[in-house]
Amino acid sequence: MKLVVEIARTHLISKPKQTIIAMLGVTFGIGMFIAMVSLMTGLNNFTEDLTMTSSPDIHIYHDVTEDRESILEKENPGGINLVHHQKPKAETPRLRNAMQIANLIRRDARVTGVAPSISSQVFYNYGPVQLNGNILGVDILEEDKLFSLREKMKEGKIEDLKANHDGIIMGKGLAKKLSVHPGDRVVITTPQGYTMTLKVVGVFQMGLGSVDNTRSYANLSTVQTILEKDHLYITDINVKLVDNDQAKTIAPTFQKMFRYKAEDWETANATFLTGNIIRNIITYSVSITLLIVAGFGIYNILNMTIYNKMKDIAILKAMGFAGKDVKMIFMIQSLAIGLIGSILGLGIGFALSWLISKAPFNGGDFISIDHLPVNFDPRYYVIGIVFGVATTAFAGYMPSRKAARVDPIEILRGQ
């Protein structure tokens, strides 16, 4: 075995240019694999975290748009019923017995937080500026349990909203567009024409433009007053689970129990999650293609090496080396190229990932971000080196098998 290794080493260093080129193919393949996977998974994780911080695990509400059977279908089931221009029934999004439902859900051991709320479209007026957005009436302390609002406050405290009946906490993007700061007052107008002046007591930043540029929080009683509703008027119940992966299983149970629509976070963000899957498929496809191309390069180099070393192989076999020994010589060469190239590739991949993570990036109005998020998960480095060595081993197997089958007599005869 020692002699086999020595011969393999001699072959590698006798033609350094070929060896270096083969290693560089693996190195850059692994390096680009690490850089691409780190960046793409980092972006996916970042946007998924942002989505989870702005949407509940389960959202319970009254879906007034769902299909319902008509009176004729109730009176004449199974018959031929023809209805033209059926008008939808006048319904409000109110949840009946909302507080009792919330209390029942709180007793569930799988639940860590429940926040009843009211939402309404409003116009924000500040001098000549008028913006369309939405206002959420919440118990701010309960809402904090779901979305960690305390950590996202840029100005003011969530307790300031609790202490001010006419207070409002605005998203950073919305506050910037209105040019308001804590202490300023804004006039809001509902689509029904109700107008109310509110005092800005804080500014939050979720990090997602669709939330920060439109949303604001007020007390439940304040929004009930704005909508001219009673103190029991609730339109939504947001639920946070111990394990959000169970949301898809638990939501149908709540829907059946309370007879209101219960939407899990995966269903609500299906488009976003599909985009994540597609991006991951593209990333891995391109990265694996790079490694396969590097493998073909090693195959070609080893194939040419065997062709140039035919006489050496014949002499070795004539001296008593078995076919498996010759195969081992070239397999050692391919594994050495793959291992060294992969280790160098990991270093280059880490360096590229670090440089990308330090590059300034402006997310604009969509995402509040200063630098590109990069995922330095060790798992991808393990995958990179294993796949790199496996690819080069497979690329070296066919040429080494060919070398093992060389007939020394034919070569020495000059045929």
Side-chain angles (χ1 to χ4, degrees):
M1 188 65 186
K2 184 178 179 181
L3 183 58
V4 167
V5 173
E6 184 63 28
I7 293 171
R9 187 183 71 84
T10 303
H11 281 180
L12 286 173
I13 63 177
S14 62
K15 290 194 175 180
K17 287 185 179 179
Q18 283 188 355
T19 304
I20 291 171
I21 289 172
M23 285 183 182
L24 287 177
V26 180
T27 297
F28 286 110
I30 297 291
M32 291 306 298
F33 168 79
I34 295 295
M36 288 186 64
V37 169
S38 298
L39 176 60
M40 293 304 296
T41 56
L43 285 169
N44 284 348
N45 292 343
F46 177 75
T47 51
E48 184 174 336
D49 290 342
L50 285 180
T51 302
M52 290 304 299
T53 58
S54 60
S55 62
D57 294 342
I58 298 177
H59 177 207
I60 300 174
Y61 63 100
H62 184 194
D63 187 3
V64 296
T65 63
E66 65 181 355
D67 293 332
R68 298 172 178 80
E69 60 180 358
S70 67
I71 296 175
L72 289 178
E73 289 171 336
K74 290 181 179 179
E75 296 295 329
N76 185 27
I80 299 175
N81 304 305
L82 185 62
V83 180
H84 291 285
H85 308 295
Q86 183 179 1
K87 297 290 191 300
K89 183 181 178 181
E91 292 184 81
T92 67
R94 175 176 183 167
L95 297 177
R96 295 184 180 276
N97 302 316
M99 288 303 180
Q100 288 87 337
I101 292 173
N103 290 331
L104 284 173
I105 296 174
R106 284 192 184 98
R107 296 174 188 172
D108 194 317
R110 300 168 296 180
V111 174
T112 60
V114 180
S117 66
I118 316 168
S119 61
S120 174
Q121 295 292 318
V122 293
F123 292 101
Y124 297 96
N125 306 282
Y126 186 70
V129 182
Q130 186 178 64
L131 293 176
N132 183 28
N134 59 73
I135 186 169
L136 267 66
V138 297
D139 181 333
I140 197 65
L141 299 180
E142 292 293 333
E143 197 76 3
D144 178 50
K145 293 178 182 178
L146 269 69
F147 304 114
S148 303
L149 287 177
R150 196 184 303 274
E151 300 172 4
K152 297 174 177 62
M153 294 296 294
K154 296 299 178 181
E155 297 181 70
K157 299 180 295 184
I158 61 173
E159 288 79 9
D160 295 335
L161 181 63
K162 200 78 173 175
N164 289 270
H165 175 72
D166 62 344
I168 185 174
I169 296 177
M170 279 191 168
K172 185 176 180 180
L174 181 61
K176 183 178 179 181
K177 289 179 180 179
L178 292 171
S179 299
V180 297
H181 301 278
D184 293 336
R185 292 187 174 273
V186 294
V187 178
I188 64 166
T189 306
T190 67
Q192 292 75 28
Y194 187 90
T195 300
M196 187 174 187
T197 302
L198 298 175
K199 180 182 178 182
V200 179
V201 297
V203 175
F204 72 89
Q205 184 178 25
M206 288 285 188
L208 204 60
S210 59
V211 175
D212 294 337
N213 296 331
T214 60
R215 181 182 294 180
S216 61
Y217 289 102
N219 291 304
L220 271 172
S221 58
T222 303
V223 179
Q224 286 165 345
T225 301
I226 292 170
L227 296 176
E228 300 179 282
K229 302 293 183 180
D230 61 78
H231 69 284
L232 296 177
Y233 185 82
I234 301 292
T235 60
D236 305 88
I237 297 176
N238 295 324
V239 181
K240 184 177 179 61
L241 303 175
V242 175
D243 181 6
N244 61 11
D245 290 332
Q246 294 183 350
K248 206 161 190 175
T249 305
I250 298 173
T253 305
F254 286 167
Q255 184 166 320
K256 185 178 180 180
M257 184 184 303
F258 304 119
R259 299 184 181 276
Y260 286 117
K261 180 74 173 179
E263 188 175 56
D264 62 276
W265 70 272
E266 291 185 54
T267 302
N269 299 288
T271 303
F272 165 76
L273 293 175
T274 301
N276 267 6
I277 293 170
I278 293 172
R279 284 192 293 272
N280 283 334
I281 291 172
I282 293 173
T283 301
Y284 280 103
S285 298
V286 173
S287 302
I288 290 172
T289 300
L290 290 172
L291 297 179
I292 291 174
V293 169
F296 275 113
I298 294 170
Y299 171 82
N300 288 330
I301 289 172
L302 289 177
N303 216 23
M304 289 300 298
T305 301
I306 290 169
Y307 181 79
N308 294 329
K309 300 287 185 182
M310 281 296 186
K311 289 185 178 180
D312 294 351
I313 294 169
I315 293 170
L316 287 172
K317 298 192 79 171
M319 291 172 61
F321 279 77
K324 64 178 182 179
D325 297 324
V326 175
K327 183 193 291 185
M328 185 64 69
I329 290 171
F330 291 97
M331 282 299 296
I332 288 173
Q333 291 181 55
S334 65
L335 289 172
I337 290 171
L339 183 61
I340 297 172
S342 297
I343 293 171
L344 292 173
L346 295 184
I348 289 177
F350 179 82
L352 287 173
S353 300
W354 184 82
L355 289 173
I356 292 171
S357 69
K358 297 300 179 184
F361 179 80
N362 183 8
D365 291 336
F366 179 63
I367 296 178
S368 300
I369 183 174
D370 298 323
H371 296 83
L372 288 172
V374 176
N375 184 8
F376 291 95
D377 192 337
R379 176 179 53 178
Y380 301 120
Y381 292 80
V382 174
I383 292 173
I385 194 168
V386 169
F387 196 87
V389 173
T391 302
T392 52
F394 183 78
Y397 175 74
M398 296 304 293
S400 65
R401 188 180 177 189
K402 179 181 177 181
R405 292 179 176 179
V406 169
D407 187 346
I409 297 175
E410 292 182 1
I411 299 299
L412 294 174
R413 282 177 178 176
Q415 296 181 355

